[in-house]
């Protein structure tokens, strides 16, 4: 088992480059299924979720060539199957985008029910509602979601909940449908705009992405394209908070400051300095950290994917902070792990009460999921002494070269292979 060892309590200092956005990449790679040409996609983060998504495309006949470490050339013209049901598919939430993409291309898709991080029920009813509005029928049998349509015809879809995944899937299914589709109450996250820009660069006619009403005029042909993915808002936010928690001073480069406004505003409320440049932010923290209340919301609200990280930071602020999780039902399981550092966090349903403490002490913890794992790294960097984090595979799903990037900022962090009891016993 691979573990992170962190000797904490030294300030992060220097510059860090933010990679391409995970959640844009895992939507744009399957969106290439809709292209009638070859797509060259740049600024792809080198993370496990992306490798898995590329592999899933190859399993159904796509050719994915790595041009360099952050550029893929994807040729989906010879895809020969609308069925995607491997173990890889089951392990990844974003594999549900194959439903929209394959339905859009073949008018048929059979895809395993998706997995992903576990923060409560993760339904796909809004995805299916969207497909039905376009004329598709569906069934769920033996762990497979089957959708099919004689014809896909544009229509109006009102989403009952703001869902990133459903908005993306409906765009994918509608982009080559007959006529015009309008998605009302659509999600507005930056990666939805990025997906629409990618599809438009191939000749799609999508307008309104980034607002709650998206209009998609169906087209019959999408050319190949060359496209560069936006920087990762959540990776940037994680480095912003790690800098604040260690009382550091870091220039966070290759970001879109507009995408980080909600995080910047909260950090300033906490007493952290944030200076904005065209495509960089300088974050530094030298005074006291103040309590503040946080409510997670769909974009442009405070992102749920930054909730564990800001909870770790508020654990060492003066006073008591209240965190309301408004997107997921069960996203506070990691607080038991944070409390091992000496944090004082109590949870009641979707509300956490964080009583600030003066210092944290290194300990052994688990990364329960990707962002929970990021919170453990932040707490470990801030804590006195040594922290050991298990299950770092979750962290590596979404953070490119995190050990190298933090080391370059002066952190004492190492990834170490530690044989687990089972492999030690086997070797005896
Ligand atoms: N929901 C429904 N029905 C649906 C779909 C969603 O009720 O058909 C509910 C969910 O249960 C949840 C809420 O709507 O309560 C929002 O879910 P959404 O569909 O927006 O989430 P997602 O598309 O499954 C993406 C990100 C998550 C991020 C959420 C919210 C990807 C691959 N995943 O998930 O990112 O938390 O949006 O912003 O884009 C992460 O990167 O760590 C991560 C988990």
């Amino acid at each position: 088992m691979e573990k992170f060892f962190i000797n904490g309590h030294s300030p992060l200092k220097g510059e860090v480059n933010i990679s391409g956005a995970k959640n844009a990449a895992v939507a744009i790679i399957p969106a290439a299924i809709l292209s009638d040409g070859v797509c060259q996609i740049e600024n792809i983060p080198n993370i496990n979720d992306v490798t898995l998504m590329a592999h899933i495309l190859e399993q159904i006949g796509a050719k994915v060539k790595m041009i360099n470490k952050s550029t893929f050339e994807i040729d989906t013209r010879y895809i020969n199957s609308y069925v995607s049901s491997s173990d890889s598919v089951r392990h990844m939430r974003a594999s549900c985008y194959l439903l929209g993409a394959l339905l859009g291309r073949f008018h048929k898709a059979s895809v395993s029910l998706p997995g992903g991080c576990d923060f409560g029920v993760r339904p796909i009813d809004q995805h299916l509602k969207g497909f039905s509005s376009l004329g598709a029928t569906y069934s769920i049998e033996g762990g497979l979601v089957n959708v099919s349509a004689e014809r896909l015809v544009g229509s109006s879809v009102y989403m009952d909940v703001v869902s990133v995944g459903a908005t993306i899937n409906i765009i994918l299914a509608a982009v080559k449908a007959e006529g015009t589709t309008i998605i009302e109450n659509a999600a507005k996250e930056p990666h939805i705009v990025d997906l629409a820009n990618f599809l438009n660069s191939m000749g799609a006619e999508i307008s309104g992405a980034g607002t709650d009403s998206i209009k998609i005029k169906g087209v019959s042909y999408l050319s190949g394209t060359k496209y560069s993915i936006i920087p990762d808002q959540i990776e940037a936010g994680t480095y912003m908070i790690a800098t604040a928690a260690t009382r550091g001073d870091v220039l966070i480069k290759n970001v879109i400051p507009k995408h980080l406004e909600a995080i910047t505003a909260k950090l300033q409320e906490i007493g952290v300095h944030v200076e904005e440049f065209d495509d960089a932010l300088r974050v530094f923290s030298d005074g006291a950290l103040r309590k503040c209340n946080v409510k997670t919301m769909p974009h442009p609200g405070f992102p749920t994917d930054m909730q564990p990280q800001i909870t770790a930071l508020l654990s060492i602020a003066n006073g008591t902070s209240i965190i309301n999780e408004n997107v997921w039902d069960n996203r506070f399981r990691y607080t038991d792990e944070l409390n091992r550092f000496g944090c004082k966090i109590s949870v009641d349903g979707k509300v956490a009460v964080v009583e600030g403490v003066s210092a944290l002490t290194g300990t052994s913890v688990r990364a329960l999921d990707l962002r929970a794992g990021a919170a453990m790294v932040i707490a470990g960097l801030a804590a006195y002494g040594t922290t050991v984090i298990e299950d770092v595979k979750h962290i590596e799903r979404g953070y490119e070269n995190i050990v190298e990037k933090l080391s370059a900022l002066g952190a004492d962090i190492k990834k170490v292979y530690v044989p687990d009891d089972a492999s030690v016993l086997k070797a005896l």
Side-chain angles (χ1 to χ4, degrees):
M1 181 192 280
E2 284 169 335
K3 301 184 182 183
F4 287 173
F5 283 72
I6 303 175
N7 286 311
H9 213 69
S10 57
L12 297 182
K13 293 222 156 120
E15 298 183 355
V16 63
N17 263 311
I18 296 307
S19 304
K22 166 181 95 79
N23 288 346
V26 296
I28 285 175
I29 294 170
I33 290 174
L34 291 158
S35 177
D36 297 291
V38 177
C39 299
Q40 188 165 316
I41 306 168
E42 298 169 355
N43 204 29
I44 295 193
N46 183 8
I47 50 174
N48 293 347
D49 269 13
V50 160
T51 312
L52 203 56
M53 186 55 94
H55 175 63
I56 289 169
L57 252 63
E58 285 174 332
Q59 285 177 328
I60 54 172
K63 291 198 176 78
V64 182
K65 194 159 108 195
M66 235 175 148
I67 305 287
N68 60 47
K69 72 173 183 32
S70 61
T71 306
F72 284 4
E73 190 180 84
I74 305 183
D75 185 349
T76 60
R77 289 174 297 176
Y78 308 106
I79 284 187
N80 46 29
S81 173
Y82 61 86
V83 182
S84 183
S85 60
S86 65
D87 278 350
S88 313
V89 178
R90 276 191 294 278
H91 281 109
M92 185 178 193
R93 177 70 184 175
S95 59
C96 69
Y97 299 146
L98 291 161
L99 279 172
L102 291 170
L103 180 65
R105 168 144 169 195
F106 295 114
H107 290 191
K108 256 183 176 187
S110 289
V111 177
S112 296
L113 274 167
C117 292
D118 175 14
F119 358 92
V121 189
R122 297 190 73 168
I124 55 165
D125 57 302
Q126 298 303 306
H127 305 233
L128 298 173
K129 176 180 168 176
F131 298 149
S132 299
S133 304
L134 298 175
T137 55
Y138 64 85
S139 64
I140 300 180
E141 288 163 63
L144 272 189
V145 187
N146 308 299
V147 277
S148 65
E150 287 278 306
R151 291 168 61 206
L152 285 170
V153 183
S155 147
S156 222
V157 187
Y158 181 85
M159 309 230 308
D160 303 320
V161 290
V162 179
S163 160
V164 171
T167 303
I168 289 176
N169 245 338
I170 300 165
I171 293 176
L172 294 174
V175 82
K176 281 183 152 178
E178 299 166 39
T180 299
T181 298
I182 295 176
I183 309 175
E184 297 288 4
N185 200 23
K188 298 182 276 211
E189 268 65 7
H191 38 289
I192 291 188
V193 180
D194 210 32
L195 172 74
N197 288 341
F198 169 69
L199 291 166
N200 284 344
S201 76
M202 298 197 278
E205 291 193 32
I206 305 170
S207 55
T211 75
D212 52 17
S213 176
I214 301 179
K215 189 168 165 185
I216 305 136
K217 261 172 133 179
V219 296
S220 55
Y221 176 85
L222 291 177
S223 66
T225 186
K226 192 171 174 184
Y227 190 81
S228 182
I229 286 178
I230 52 166
D232 197 303
Q233 171 205 23
I234 305 300
E235 188 196 16
T238 301
Y239 282 95
M240 290 168 79
I241 290 187
T243 305
T246 60
R247 307 316 185 82
D249 186 344
V250 175
L251 187 67
I252 298 168
K253 293 172 29 176
N254 184 34
V255 300
I256 299 176
K258 178 113 193 92
H259 294 169
L260 295 160
E261 275 173 351
I263 302 162
T264 298
K266 278 294 153 196
L267 284 179
Q268 287 171 334
E269 206 178 319
I270 294 170
V272 178
H273 306 281
V274 183
E275 277 177 14
E276 204 173 298
F277 303 95
D278 285 349
D279 60 356
L281 290 174
R282 177 183 169 209
V283 178
F284 59 105
S285 166
D286 46 15
L289 298 172
R290 298 189 288 264
K291 71 179 173 87
C292 97
N293 297 337
V294 178
K295 288 186 181 173
T296 67
M297 298 278 191
H299 192 78
F302 189 88
T304 173
D305 293 343
M306 288 301 302
Q307 181 258 95
Q309 300 91 314
I310 204 156
T311 301
L313 176 65
L314 288 169
S315 295
I316 47 168
N318 291 332
T320 300
S321 308
I322 312 286
I323 319 281
N324 276 276
E325 172 56 49
N326 287 318
V327 177
W328 295 110
D329 288 337
N330 190 8
R331 205 173 188 171
F332 281 124
R333 288 187 313 142
Y334 69 89
T335 55
D336 285 341
E337 299 295 306
L338 275 188
N339 284 341
R340 291 168 174 262
F341 288 93
C343 300
K344 284 195 181 160
I345 309 168
S346 53
V347 174
D348 184 7
K350 290 160 79 169
V351 180
V353 178
V354 186
E355 217 181 298
V357 297
S358 56
L360 305 182
T361 311
T363 181
S364 285
V365 287
R366 284 177 58 213
L368 297 182
D369 62 58
L370 169 58
R371 309 303 173 187
M376 298 307 133
V377 172
I378 290 168
L381 291 170
Y384 287 98
T386 304
T387 292
V388 181
I389 306 178
E390 289 183 11
D391 288 338
V392 299
K393 61 177 190 288
H394 291 298
I395 303 174
E396 292 180 328
R397 277 187 40 220
Y399 289 92
E400 179 173 85
N401 295 339
I402 187 166
V403 170
E404 291 78 1
K405 287 187 184 187
L406 286 170
S407 300
L409 293 173
D412 183 353
I413 175 169
K414 284 183 188 61
K415 182 163 100 172
V416 177
Y417 175 77
V418 182
D420 54 25
D421 289 352
S423 45
V424 172
L425 286 172
K426 213 166 144 192
L428 287 175

